[in-house]
Structures are given as C-alpha cells and as structure tokens.
Amino acid sequence: MIFNKDFREIIKELDKEKTLIIIDPPYNVGWKYDSYKDKISEDEYLKLFESFEGFKLVVIHYIEDIIKYVVPTMGVPEKVVQWVYNSNMRKQHRSIAFFNCKPDFSKVKQKPKNPEDVRVNSEVNIYDWWNVNLVKNVSSEKEDYSNQIPEKIIGNIIKTTANDEVIFDAFMGSGTTLAVASKLGFKYIGCDISKKAFEITKQRLNKIENNLFQ
C-alpha cells in the first residue's frame, strides 16, 4: 500500500512489533521539493523523529544529525554502518543507524577486500562499511526524482535486518525502499506528501510487480 499523505496519519495504525521502518528523511537543508518546504525549525525537525519511538527503525542520514535529532528519542543505535561513495559533494559518506533492531551481516556475502586473503576465492560476511556509488542520471535505476538511494543500500538493509515484518517508508520519494521490498517478497507500506513522488512510486511498483507475477 502507498499513500499520498503525511506518514503521521498512517503510523499510528501500525504494529510496532510487526513493522520495520526504513527512512531516508528530508535533511532539513532547504532542498526544493515540489510540495514540501525542507526547512523547518530545529524543534519541529526533532519532533518529526519522535513519531518513530518504540519502532524498529533504520535511518540513513549524516551521523551528526542522527546524534542530534534521532538519538534523543530512539536512544543509542544497536549498530551504525557507513555508506561511502565518490562524488563532487563536500561529504562523501552517510551513516545508516539501526534502532531497536540489529543487522545480521552473515545474511549477505561479499568477496574479501584484501587480495592476499587466503579466503579470496570464497565469500565473507558483508562489512560494516558499504562502498556503493550514488544513483547517477545515466543509471538504469534512476527515476525522475532527486536524492535517490541506490537499491543496493536498501537491499543490504532489508536482507540483513528484516524477518517477516512489513517494511514501512515514511518518506518514500521515488519508491526505492518499496521497490526493493517488493522484489525481495516483503509486504510494504509507503507514504509521501508529494503527489509527484506518489505517482513515480506507483508506476515503479506497477512495473516491478507486473514483471514478477507474469
């Protein structure tokens, strides 16, 4: 299910034990969205994250903002992963913080980074830093929406953390979290106040699910 609504109208109906929330929230830096002013007061921004209290929550954000705005409500995260990428921006990494849930890195494998490692021909558990490029305009997964999170990042989060929960994205944007959840066989709920985001996500999910069930 997806909704063109403020997530706070939906979250009160969700079961905290049966829901895993994954968010890449607005960063409150004045970015121009079609229907959202991404610059509210610090108190309002802090209060935004209070809505997630008691839920299993995974937040993609800059670490200083996680500490300042999320930790006061959610407490100390169970785990923090670094997502690093090459870019022309001043910051070339973000943090992924896990609250009230803990990823199991044995569920995702990768090749050892050290070519001299005796295990080089085998696979090891995923590390706690993920070197994944940003979604570029030429990427096959690029949608007509800004600040899109790579499917690989969301895939790592869901594969290592989710069990049989419903995946909830309160700021679904271009629908990446829901798209990956659908591909992996999870039920999902998404919200966004942007009509453009809602339409892009609806089309993206329709395309995926028509292919999956043909």
Side-chain angles (χ1 to χ4, degrees):
M1 294 185 290
I2 60 173
F3 299 91
N4 185 200
K5 294 182 177 182
D6 188 311
F7 77 93
R8 286 167 288 196
E9 297 180 39
I10 305 298
I11 196 170
K12 57 189 176 183
E13 304 297 330
L14 300 182
D15 187 326
K16 292 183 178 180
E17 293 299 319
K18 298 179 180 179
T19 305
L20 173 63
I21 301 176
I22 302 173
I23 57 170
D24 169 41
Y27 284 15
N28 209 36
V29 292
W31 187 270
K32 291 184 179 180
Y33 292 96
D34 63 311
S35 57
Y36 173 71
K37 183 180 179 182
D38 186 34
K39 193 61 179 174
I40 57 180
S41 71
E42 289 210 349
D43 285 345
E44 289 177 290
Y45 195 57
L46 184 66
K47 192 170 183 61
L48 193 69
F49 294 99
E50 292 178 1
S51 303
F52 305 113
E53 185 174 9
F55 281 95
K56 289 173 274 190
L57 173 70
V58 184
V59 182
I60 303 170
H61 210 324
Y62 296 115
I63 189 61
E64 56 268 37
D65 292 300
I66 291 172
I67 293 170
K68 186 174 184 179
Y69 298 112
V70 186
V71 168
T73 294
M74 299 299 297
V76 177
E78 297 284 341
K79 182 70 178 176
V80 177
V81 168
Q82 296 305 314
W83 167 29
V84 297
Y85 44 81
N86 292 323
S87 76
N88 294 322
M89 297 185 294
R90 180 171 56 88
K91 292 185 176 180
Q92 299 195 16
H93 67 92
R94 271 173 262 182
S95 295
I96 304 170
F98 298 75
F99 297 91
N100 299 325
C101 56
K102 191 171 183 179
D104 179 356
F105 288 171
S106 70
K107 293 181 177 180
V108 177
K109 303 294 184 179
Q110 66 178 42
K111 292 290 186 182
K113 293 295 184 182
N114 181 2
E116 304 301 324
D117 195 312
V118 294
R119 302 166 297 173
V120 73
N121 291 320
S122 62
E123 293 185 322
V124 296
N125 293 348
I126 194 171
Y127 302 136
D128 62 359
W129 60 277
W130 302 343
N131 191 345
V132 179
N133 287 333
L134 297 171
V135 178
K136 305 294 185 181
N137 289 333
V138 295
S139 171
S140 61
E141 64 182 82
K142 176 64 179 173
E143 302 289 338
D144 183 24
Y145 205 78
S146 59
N147 302 325
Q148 189 174 331
I149 300 296
E151 289 192 7
K152 176 69 173 176
I153 294 297
I154 300 301
N156 283 349
I157 293 171
I158 293 177
K159 289 175 184 177
T160 60
T161 311
N163 293 304
D164 57 354
E165 299 95 342
V166 173
I167 307 299
F168 178 60
D169 188 351
F171 313 97
M172 65 188 182
S174 63
T176 299
T177 294
L178 310 183
V180 175
S182 179
K183 290 176 182 179
L184 294 175
F186 286 87
K187 295 180 180 178
Y188 57 78
I189 302 172
C191 296
D192 206 294
I193 61 174
S194 165
K195 181 66 174 177
K196 178 180 179 181
F198 177 81
E199 291 299 330
I200 288 173
T201 298
K202 181 171 70 172
Q203 293 174 21
R204 187 174 182 181
L205 291 170
N206 284 341
K207 186 184 298 183
I208 290 168
E209 292 171 6
N210 283 339
N211 289 334
L212 284 176
F213 299 113
Q214 280 180 351

